[in-house]
């Protein structure tokens, strides 16, 4: 066997015959775990003392260094060192460092982090992954996934289906408790939006989403419940969902408005729902704001009607696009023609997804801008025989013009942050005016296309314009001025009547909030005028006396009474009137209405409370990713097989985890619930 060689820090090779009493230079700490052996004249290798695995050290004149040797020991790659370390520290895991304290050296060795394996944390992360990415629960029992995890960490014990299901539900319950505490701390009311999904088994799933503004003036949109109803067409399905939500989240008496797709509910069920809510919940403004229609669904239905009217022409355009996009040869020829014709359009042709009406809109817009190329393709490609006529292209252009109104309005609902209710009045009123004018147009095609669209949107406008108008009044850039301006265009001579309805409604609503804020006994209130309480006058200034009036003092008592009455009349202006009489703020795009009310909440304590409830009204009941859907949402086959409790836990937990934890420091003003969230299978 070759003589052992011990390297020093200056890479000198010391033979084993060196005298023990001869002073040596300090060597690297790595050589406590390695020895070197000469393999041949050109190669010297380092051998691990524990596992005897060899590593390159010197090859000819090249020195490999010691970094790879340090990794072998410090990162737990050596199986013998890893096993000894686990026995000494009781810490499982492949990436543990040697626990012996290093000897003092001239050269400091690198410090490596300690990796501690945690079974519970790994199980938690798997559950979180399943919730956030909607993976099936049974993936933990799939052999390929088990083998993959075993390769990463042999010591991890894969949980069963039931275990990971319980972990997901536990995560849901923990987040629900935090959100419940947040909801119980908000100073105002909660508005709900209801959306209906169905399954292949004809079961219904009502998604109940809560909208509210917290004490820091942050707007929240959270899925509160996903309730399975056996008969989605039943008039009681929505009522059942609302009852469960109000009870589950302690919202009895705190519901402000309810928004749903009214095409799901017939007139009888709609009236029953309104009556039911009036009994269960204290309503404001005689329930005129209570139940609203979903703006996104209305726009989607109108867009589908418009596309349906021109179904044949759109099919021809779609076939044109398919002809180009489904063949590389055709697409290359199309792009070549576009360059030759110098068509300025930057849009690309796309084949639409007919379950999303916005994709059809984008397809038509791009095709219209490239119609000149299609016309030339007809002459240069003998196989191309489906060119639309000039009149058909004109009809498609007109259709796109009116679809753009709907698209721009609906696109607001797809923003990363949910919009406040004040932004929808300008959009809805513009659609109402444009469709009305188009329906009266002399052009027969335009009137034919837009008349049924206007009739459908006019129903929405009639039912919801009060809510939209009240919301825009809470925007200090518009107030009542925009309502007056818009109604004068829409209603003409009858505008004053509609303006008075909005003005009276918002004053009546303010009185109700003022009454609730003051909470004074009825005997102390003589009358309420525009939200201000008039108390009885002092006894020394009383006009309701019997007998002749006798002046006292210096004869100026009447003057003092007169001045007192003038001063009181100026002070009797309510917060609402003061707000409406102040000048409008400049109209800027980046205006944050919630921040403005937060800054002015001390100036308008009652009005700001009312504004927080109004601005959080959900105008739409669908999720942002479903705004352009043309079909009712369906619960996938996998989730339909799960227990309804598990379905609710998975969907709600994903929604809440996307916003982070709801836990906040309790406000001293509001009581935090002590109720414990429970769930039973």
């Amino acid at each position: 066997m070759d003589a052992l060689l011990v390297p020093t820090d200056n890479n000198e090779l010391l033979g084993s015959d060196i005298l023990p009493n001869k002073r040596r230079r300090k060597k690297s700490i790595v050589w406590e775990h390695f020895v070197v052996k000469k393999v041949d004249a050109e190669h010297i290798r380092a051998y691990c003392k524990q596992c005897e695995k060899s590593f390159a050290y010197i090859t000819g004149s090249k020195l490999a260094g010691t970094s790879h040797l340090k990794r072998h020991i410090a990162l737990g790659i050596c199986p013998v060192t890893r096993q000894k370390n686990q026995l000494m520290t009781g810490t499982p895991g492949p990436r543990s460092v040697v626990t012996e304290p290093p000897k003092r050296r001239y050269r400091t060795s690198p410090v490596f982090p300690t990796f501690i394996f945690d079974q519970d944390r790994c199980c938690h992360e798997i559950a979180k992954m399943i919730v956030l990415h909607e993976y099936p629960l049974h993936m933990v029992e799939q052999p390929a996934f088990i083998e993959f995890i075993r390769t990463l960490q042999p010591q991890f014990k894969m949980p069963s289906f039931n275990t990971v299901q319980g972990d997901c539900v536990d995560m849901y319950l923990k987040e629900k408790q935090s959100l419940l505490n947040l909801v119980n701390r908000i100073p105002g009311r909660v508005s709900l939006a209801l959306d209906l999904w169905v399954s292949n088994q004809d079961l219904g799933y009502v998604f109940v989403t809560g909208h509210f503004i917290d004490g820091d003036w942050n707007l929240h949109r959270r899925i509160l419940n996903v309730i399975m109803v056996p008969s989605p067409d039943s008039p009681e399905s929505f009522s059942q969902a609302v009852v469960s939500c109000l009870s589950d989240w302690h919202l009895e008496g705190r519901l402000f408005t309810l928004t749903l797709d009214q095409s799901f509910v017939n007139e009888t069920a709609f009236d029953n729902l309104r009556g039911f809510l009036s009994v269960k919940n204290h309503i404001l403004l005689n329930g005129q704001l209570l139940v609203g229609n979903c703006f996104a669904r209305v726009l989607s239905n109108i867009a589908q009607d418009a596309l349906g009217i021109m179904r044949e022409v759109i099919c021809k355009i779609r076939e044109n696009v398919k002809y180009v996009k489904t063949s590389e040869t055709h697409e290359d020829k199309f792009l070549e023609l576009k360059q030759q014709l110098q068509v300025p359009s930057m849009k690309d042709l796309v084949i639409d997804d007919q379950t999303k009406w916005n994709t059809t809109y984008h397809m038509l817009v791009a095709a219209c801008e490239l119609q000149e190329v299609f016309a030339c393709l007809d002459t240069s490609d003998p196989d191309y025989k489906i060119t639309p006529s000039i009149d058909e292209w004109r009809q498609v252009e007109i259709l796109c013009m009116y679809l753009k109104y709907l698209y721009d309005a609906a696109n607001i609902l797809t923003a990363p942050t949910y919009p406040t209710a004040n932004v929808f009045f300008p959009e809805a009123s513009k659609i109402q005016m444009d469709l009305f004018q188009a329906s009266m147009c002399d052009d027969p095609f335009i009137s034919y296309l837009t008349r049924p669209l206007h009739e459908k949107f006019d129903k929405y406008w009639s039912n919801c314009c009060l809510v939209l108008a009240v919301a825009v009044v809470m925007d200090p850039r518009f107030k009542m001025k925009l309502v007056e301006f818009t109604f004068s265009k829409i209603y003409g001579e009858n505008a004053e009547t509609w303006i008075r309805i909005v003005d009276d409604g918002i004053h009546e609503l303010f009185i109700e909030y003022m009454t609730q804020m003051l909470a004074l006994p009825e005997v102390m209130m003589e009358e309420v005028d525009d939200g201000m309480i008039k108390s009885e006058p002092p006894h020394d200034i009383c006009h309701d006396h019997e007998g002749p009036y006798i002046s006292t003092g210096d004869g100026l008592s009447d003057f003092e009474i007169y001045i007192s009455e003038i001063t009181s009349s100026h002070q009797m202006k309510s917060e609402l009137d003061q707000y409406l009489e102040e000048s409008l703020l400049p109209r800027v795009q980046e205006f944050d209405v919630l921040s403005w009310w937060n800054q002015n909440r001390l100036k308008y304590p009652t009005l700001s409370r009312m504004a927080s409830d109004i601005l959080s009204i959900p105008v739409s009941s669908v999720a942002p990713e479903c705004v352009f859907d043309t079909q009712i949402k369906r619960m996938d086959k996998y989730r339909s097989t799960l227990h309804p409790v598990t379905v609710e836990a998975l969907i709600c937990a994903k929604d809440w985890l996307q916003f982070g934890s709801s836990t906040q420091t309790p406000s001293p003003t509001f009581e935090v619930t002590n109720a414990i969230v429970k769930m039973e299978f």
Side-chain angles (χ1 to χ4, degrees):
M1 183 175 181
D2 295 330
L4 295 179
L5 301 176
V6 181
T8 62
D9 282 350
N10 60 358
N11 297 322
E12 295 178 357
L13 295 179
L14 303 181
S16 59
D17 57 345
I18 295 179
L19 296 176
N21 60 354
K22 184 174 181 179
R23 184 173 181 180
R24 304 179 184 179
R25 294 187 180 184
K26 296 294 184 181
K27 62 181 180 179
S28 171
I29 190 174
V30 76
W31 299 114
E32 295 181 2
H33 306 279
F34 286 88
V35 295
V36 295
K37 299 178 183 180
K38 185 176 181 181
V39 179
D40 53 41
E42 295 294 328
H43 298 84
I44 298 177
R45 298 184 66 82
Y47 288 82
C48 176
K49 294 180 180 180
Q50 302 294 335
C51 65
E52 298 184 356
K53 185 176 181 180
S54 66
F55 298 86
Y57 183 56
I58 296 177
T59 303
S61 60
K62 295 182 179 180
L63 180 63
T66 59
S67 298
H68 60 307
L69 307 181
K70 294 174 181 176
R71 288 194 294 269
H72 179 71
I73 298 299
L75 296 182
I77 300 175
C78 176
V80 179
T81 304
R82 180 174 64 219
Q83 185 176 6
K84 290 182 178 181
N85 181 61
Q86 293 173 9
L87 293 174
M88 292 190 317
T89 62
T91 303
R95 295 183 176 270
S96 302
V97 299
V98 179
T99 57
E100 294 183 6
K103 297 180 180 180
R104 184 178 180 183
R105 304 292 179 190
Y106 287 113
R107 183 183 295 177
T108 59
S109 60
V111 178
F112 296 96
T114 301
F115 295 90
I116 301 177
F117 170 71
D118 189 330
Q119 172 76 20
D120 292 338
R121 181 178 178 182
C122 292
C123 290
H124 173 80
E125 291 301 323
I126 283 185
K128 185 176 180 181
M129 175 188 70
I130 289 174
V131 168
L132 286 176
H133 300 288
E134 300 183 9
Y135 295 141
L137 290 169
H138 60 260
M139 72 178 296
V140 296
E141 297 179 347
Q142 295 174 346
F145 182 70
I146 295 174
E147 188 63 28
F148 170 69
I149 296 298
R150 184 175 296 157
T151 303
L152 296 178
Q153 174 51 267
Q155 296 183 357
F156 178 66
K157 297 179 180 179
M158 184 65 67
S160 65
F161 174 91
N162 290 334
T163 301
V164 75
Q165 178 181 238
D167 291 342
C168 292
V169 172
D170 288 342
M171 185 181 303
Y172 158 78
L173 294 176
K174 180 180 179 181
E175 291 298 320
K176 183 175 183 179
Q177 185 66 61
S178 299
L179 183 57
L180 183 61
N181 290 338
L182 174 62
V183 171
N184 279 271
R185 287 196 301 268
I186 64 172
R189 292 172 171 249
V190 176
S191 292
L192 299 180
L194 305 182
D195 190 27
L196 179 65
W197 291 31
V198 297
S199 69
N200 293 334
Q201 295 82 11
D202 290 331
L203 298 175
Y205 293 84
V206 180
F207 283 60
V208 185
T209 305
H211 296 248
F212 57 89
I213 292 176
D214 63 22
D216 296 324
W217 285 87
N218 299 310
L219 178 61
H220 295 266
R221 179 187 181 276
R222 299 288 188 272
I223 299 177
L224 301 182
N225 295 99
V226 179
I227 300 170
M228 192 270 286
V229 290
S231 302
D233 297 331
S234 171
E236 292 79 21
S237 58
F238 284 109
S239 299
Q240 175 186 344
V242 174
V243 170
S244 299
C245 180
L246 295 180
S247 175
D248 197 18
W249 294 88
H250 307 164
L251 295 177
E252 294 89 347
R254 301 179 64 193
L255 177 64
F256 188 56
T257 64
L258 189 69
T259 304
L260 70 160
D261 182 2
Q262 294 186 10
S263 63
F264 293 154
V265 185
N266 57 38
E267 289 296 329
T268 302
F270 184 77
D271 293 338
N272 292 341
L273 180 61
R274 182 185 292 274
F276 167 79
L277 293 176
S278 301
V279 173
K280 289 288 184 178
N281 191 79
H282 174 70
I283 61 173
L284 299 173
L285 201 58
N286 297 321
Q288 296 180 65
L289 307 180
L290 185 58
V291 183
N293 201 355
C294 175
F295 188 51
R297 295 289 192 193
V298 170
L299 297 179
S300 180
N301 291 336
I302 294 176
Q304 291 180 74
D305 289 347
L307 295 173
I309 292 173
M310 295 188 57
R311 182 181 297 105
E312 294 182 1
V313 178
I314 293 173
C315 287
K316 184 179 289 189
I317 298 293
R318 186 179 294 114
E319 292 303 316
N320 277 263
V321 176
K322 286 182 178 180
Y323 181 85
V324 174
K325 297 298 292 183
T326 56
S327 169
E328 292 186 6
T329 303
H330 296 165
E331 187 169 14
D332 291 341
K333 184 179 292 186
F334 188 86
L335 294 175
E336 182 181 351
L337 283 174
K338 178 183 176 183
Q339 292 177 353
Q340 292 175 359
L341 296 171
Q342 297 182 349
V343 177
S345 174
M346 300 299 293
K347 296 186 180 298
D348 295 325
L349 289 177
V350 290
I351 303 174
D352 64 330
D353 174 5
Q354 297 182 50
T355 64
K356 300 276 188 180
W357 68 265
N358 61 319
T359 63
T360 305
Y361 164 70
H362 290 310
M363 180 188 71
L364 296 177
V365 170
C368 283
E369 293 188 7
L370 297 168
Q371 60 180 285
E372 184 180 355
V373 185
F374 281 108
C376 290
L377 188 64
D378 185 29
T379 59
S380 61
D381 187 348
D383 296 329
Y384 178 73
K385 301 177 182 179
I386 49 178
T387 309
S389 66
I390 296 177
D391 189 55
E392 287 174 332
W393 280 118
R394 172 183 170 272
Q395 292 178 1
V396 172
E397 288 177 342
I398 294 173
L399 171 65
C400 289
M401 179 175 63
Y402 291 102
L403 285 179
K404 187 178 187 305
Y405 299 146
L406 308 179
Y407 173 78
D408 290 342
N411 202 43
I412 298 175
L413 293 164
T414 64
T417 56
Y418 195 83
T420 47
N422 59 298
V423 305
F424 293 98
F425 180 83
E427 298 295 331
S429 60
K430 180 181 179 183
I431 295 175
Q432 173 72 0
M433 286 187 290
D434 290 339
L435 290 181
F436 172 74
Q437 293 174 0
S439 65
M440 306 299 291
C441 181
D442 294 334
D443 187 306
F445 174 74
I446 294 178
S447 59
Y448 165 75
L449 174 67
T450 58
R451 188 176 294 115
L453 309 184
H454 174 256
E455 290 176 359
K456 180 168 287 188
F457 191 82
D458 187 60
K459 293 180 180 178
Y460 171 80
W461 175 258
S462 299
N463 293 331
C464 299
C465 69
L466 178 59
V467 174
L468 300 178
V470 168
V472 83
V473 171
M474 294 294 99
D475 190 327
R477 298 170 298 171
F478 302 118
K479 302 182 181 178
M480 280 295 298
K481 300 301 181 184
L482 182 61
V483 175
E484 296 166 359
F485 172 78
T486 302
F487 281 8
S488 64
K489 286 188 172 184
I490 294 177
Y491 298 111
E493 297 178 354
N494 298 324
E496 190 61 34
T497 301
W498 289 92
I499 294 171
R500 175 55 57 186
I501 291 174
V502 177
D503 187 70
D504 291 346
I506 199 167
H507 277 82
E508 182 180 342
L509 187 62
F510 177 75
I511 291 173
E512 294 191 52
Y513 272 85
M514 192 71 180
T515 304
Q516 293 177 13
M517 291 284 288
L518 293 176
L520 294 176
E522 294 182 0
V523 295
M524 297 182 62
M525 295 173 19
E526 180 180 348
E527 63 176 324
V528 179
D529 183 15
D530 284 344
M532 295 301 298
I533 306 300
K534 291 184 178 180
S535 302
E536 295 182 0
H539 293 292
D540 57 343
I541 307 177
C542 183
H543 301 281
D544 297 331
H545 58 276
E546 297 180 0
Y549 177 78
I550 301 177
S551 177
T552 59
D554 56 3
L556 296 179
S557 299
D558 290 343
F559 175 73
E560 292 177 357
I561 295 173
Y562 171 72
I563 293 298
S564 175
E565 290 178 345
I566 293 179
T567 304
S568 299
S569 65
H570 285 286
Q571 292 177 347
M572 290 305 294
K573 286 185 178 180
S574 68
E575 294 174 23
L576 176 59
D577 288 330
Q578 293 178 32
Y579 166 77
L580 294 176
E581 291 175 5
E582 290 181 352
S583 300
L584 301 180
L585 294 183
R587 189 164 62 90
V588 294
Q589 288 294 110
E590 300 301 323
F591 179 71
D592 187 346
V593 66
L594 297 183
S595 177
W596 187 89
W597 278 105
N598 187 24
Q599 296 170 7
N600 290 271
R601 67 186 187 279
L602 298 180
K603 181 178 181 181
Y604 304 113
T606 303
L607 188 60
S608 64
R609 179 68 61 83
M610 186 175 84
S612 69
D613 291 343
I614 293 174
L615 293 174
S616 63
I617 293 176
V619 176
S620 171
S621 62
V622 301
E625 63 272 14
C626 303
V627 167
F628 297 102
D629 285 358
T630 59
Q631 300 176 359
I632 187 172
K633 294 295 292 185
R634 287 193 169 273
M635 191 68 68
D636 60 75
K637 182 178 179 181
Y638 162 70
R639 283 185 171 178
S640 300
T641 62
L642 298 176
H643 194 283
V645 170
T646 304
V647 174
E648 181 178 54
L650 293 174
I651 294 175
C652 291
K654 177 187 176 182
D655 181 69
W656 302 339
L657 289 173
Q658 289 175 338
F659 295 95
S661 178
S662 306
T663 307
Q664 297 182 4
T665 304
S667 170
T669 308
F670 305 101
E671 180 181 357
V672 180
T673 179
N674 293 321
I676 303 299
V677 175
K678 297 181 180 180
M679 178 171 286
E680 297 180 356
F681 286 94

